[in-house]
Amino acid sequence: MLCLGIETSCDETSLAIIRDGEIAAQSLRSQEDLHAIYGGVVPEIASREHLRALPGLLDQVLSRSGADLGEVDAVAVTRGPGLMGSLLVGMGLAKGLVQGNGAALVGVDHLQAHMIAPELSRKIAYPALGLLISGGHTRLYALASNTDMEILGRTLDDAVGEAFDKTAKLLNLPYPGGKYIDRIAGLAEPDTTLFPRPYVDNQNLDFSFSGLKTAVANYVRDHPELRLKEMEENPDAERIAAQSPQLARVCASFSWSVSQGLRIKLERALRRHPEAESLVVAGGVAANSMIRSTVEAVAREREVELILPEPELCTDNAAMVAYTGSVLHSKGWCHDLDLEAVPRGRAIPWDYLPTGTA
Ligand code: KG4
Ligand code: ZN
């Protein structure tokens, strides 16, 4: 069974081929450098770049896998959530390919793909609890299986990655700044009284980072000397932390507050779902060192198996889309050419058709 996956929901263009449940090849082009100039993803530029990159990446993934388009059984494409124009570019390619070779079309929920991609390297014990932390989303899921997931909580405003990136921007670190905050934070001790733990005085499983963001913004406004004088392309964490220990402390304290906010909601969710055998943590922010050690501690204390993928599998890639498509296809589900893209903020319908009817 050969499944070609297409990912174009944001600023990574990627194609991958899964052969019998394993990655045969992947090609990926990140647009990070293009958007960095603007301090965030510019949707129009993202769509144009996807269109430009896809043909070359398709050739590359086919030649790397040794597969022929004619052999592809299913084409899996991210249908959302994401930037509408970008999703449509991937969707256009997917529909063209299935019309050309008669493969099945499988629309994939990008967030489901993030959650179940760790299965590419190890088995997930279900029922599981899932925490998705990326630049666009922050969600808690109850996973009954790899195709049955219920949303338990979500962010009411910024995603965790957005909170990291906006804090980085306040300090004049380049976009996307999460990784720089992480590196600088590792060189200082957090001051646990500096910033509030975000949105923890309630009984729900939702997240909100606007209060924390305002607290950091106010602190930087009152201490303007913390802001780096010049934005550098690839800032050196060691030098910055040595020159400004207080800036490093701000990064560490912010990371601590975020980690504690996530810890409190995770522990609450695990208490409410004692049936969970494992905890899956995925998304770009799952690369963060303080968050990784926090979720490791939670899993140890609650005695659930922790599934925390390698950072390369945390960020956007087509292998996760191809894998999810191959799982859905093997369970007998697909879409027809009426498949529509779903923008960020709208629920993704469960509208699969039995294979063979599309
Ligand atoms: O999942 P992802 O690659 O893209 C989507 O948003 O779908 O996540 C990107 C986000 C960005 O906000 C980036 O700053 C953040 O993940 N990120 C990190 C780290 N590495 C990436 N945030 C904190 N610490 C990191 N080490
Ligand atoms: Zn993503």
Side-chain angles (χ1 to χ4, degrees):
M1 150 61 179
L2 218 69
C3 181
L4 171 71
I6 304 172
E7 162 60 40
T8 63
S9 65
C10 190
D11 60 348
E12 253 96 31
T13 321
S14 181
L15 288 153
I17 290 180
I18 295 281
R19 186 184 278 122
D20 301 328
E22 296 202 354
I23 304 175
Q26 173 164 256
S27 57
L28 188 145
R29 154 90 175 100
S30 170
Q31 305 175 4
E32 211 173 272
D33 48 346
L34 290 173
H35 299 289
I37 308 164
Y38 303 95
V41 177
V42 184
E44 171 76 18
I45 295 178
S47 320
R48 282 196 243 163
E49 282 303 311
H50 289 309
L51 197 60
R52 200 197 309 266
L54 278 174
L57 293 175
L58 178 60
D59 284 347
Q60 203 177 59
V61 79
L62 287 170
S63 71
R64 282 184 188 168
S65 67
D68 186 85
L69 261 185
E71 296 172 65
V72 172
D73 302 293
V75 176
V77 60
T78 297
R79 69 178 304 196
L83 302 170
M84 200 53 180
S86 292
L87 292 168
L88 291 176
V89 175
M91 195 74 91
L93 174 64
K95 290 186 180 180
L97 289 173
V98 302
Q99 275 188 307
N101 80 347
L105 176 67
V106 189
V108 168
D109 174 349
H110 179 87
L111 304 180
Q112 181 190 355
H114 268 301
M115 279 284 96
I116 72 167
E119 287 188 327
L120 276 165
S121 50
R122 62 190 284 193
K123 207 170 165 318
I124 298 177
Y126 295 100
L129 211 76
L131 175 68
L132 175 72
I133 39 177
S134 75
H137 303 276
T138 304
R139 287 196 180 172
L140 257 171
Y141 287 102
L143 303 154
S145 74
N146 58 9
T147 52
D148 181 354
M149 42 200 281
E150 181 199 346
I151 300 176
L152 301 176
R154 65 176 89 212
T155 182
L156 306 176
D157 39 61
D158 288 350
V160 191
E162 241 172 322
F164 268 96
D165 296 339
K166 286 180 179 172
T167 297
K169 199 169 185 174
L170 285 172
L171 298 170
N172 213 14
L173 289 162
Y175 173 86
K179 58 176 179 274
Y180 303 115
I181 300 240
D182 188 4
R183 282 179 211 154
I184 299 170
L187 300 165
E189 284 302 315
D191 174 348
T192 58
T193 60
L194 203 55
F195 303 125
R197 294 172 307 173
Y199 199 59
V200 295
D201 296 327
N202 54 60
Q203 287 309 311
N204 64 43
L205 295 174
D206 290 325
F207 303 90
S208 165
F209 296 95
S210 56
L212 174 59
K213 192 178 67 184
T214 307
V216 180
N218 289 342
Y219 190 84
V220 176
R221 188 198 55 213
D222 295 343
H223 301 82
E225 72 284 358
L226 288 179
R227 227 178 116 77
L228 294 165
K229 301 267 171 311
E230 268 177 62
M231 187 185 287
E232 296 168 46
E233 212 171 286
N234 198 0
D236 178 350
E238 303 243 341
R239 200 200 65 232
I240 290 172
Q243 279 170 355
S244 176
Q246 185 55 8
L247 186 149
R249 199 153 24 247
V250 164
C251 291
S253 309
F254 167 79
S255 308
W256 182 85
S257 289
V258 172
S259 304
Q260 293 305 305
L262 296 175
R263 179 183 64 77
I264 287 167
K265 296 293 164 116
L266 259 185
E267 285 175 344
R268 187 175 294 162
L270 284 165
R271 268 198 306 277
R272 291 184 190 171
H273 291 269
E275 72 283 4
E277 290 185 28
S278 54
L279 168 62
V280 185
V281 183
V285 188
N288 183 273
S289 19
M290 206 182 287
I291 294 175
R292 287 178 91 85
S293 52
T294 303
V295 297
E296 274 159 15
V298 170
R300 222 176 13 251
E301 280 158 25
R302 310 290 315 183
E303 295 182 344
V304 289
E305 190 186 351
L306 177 65
I307 293 164
L308 188 57
E310 292 308 305
E312 306 82 71
L313 265 185
C314 286
T315 52
D316 286 353
N317 63 82
M320 67 183 196
V321 179
Y323 174 70
T324 308
S326 70
V327 167
L328 291 162
H329 184 259
S330 68
K331 292 193 178 184
W333 290 316
C334 67
H335 283 110
D336 62 17
L337 292 173
D338 289 338
L339 174 68
E340 285 188 3
V342 181
R344 203 175 145 182
R346 249 181 52 203
I348 299 207
W350 184 266
D351 53 3
Y352 290 98
L353 304 164
T355 313
T357 59

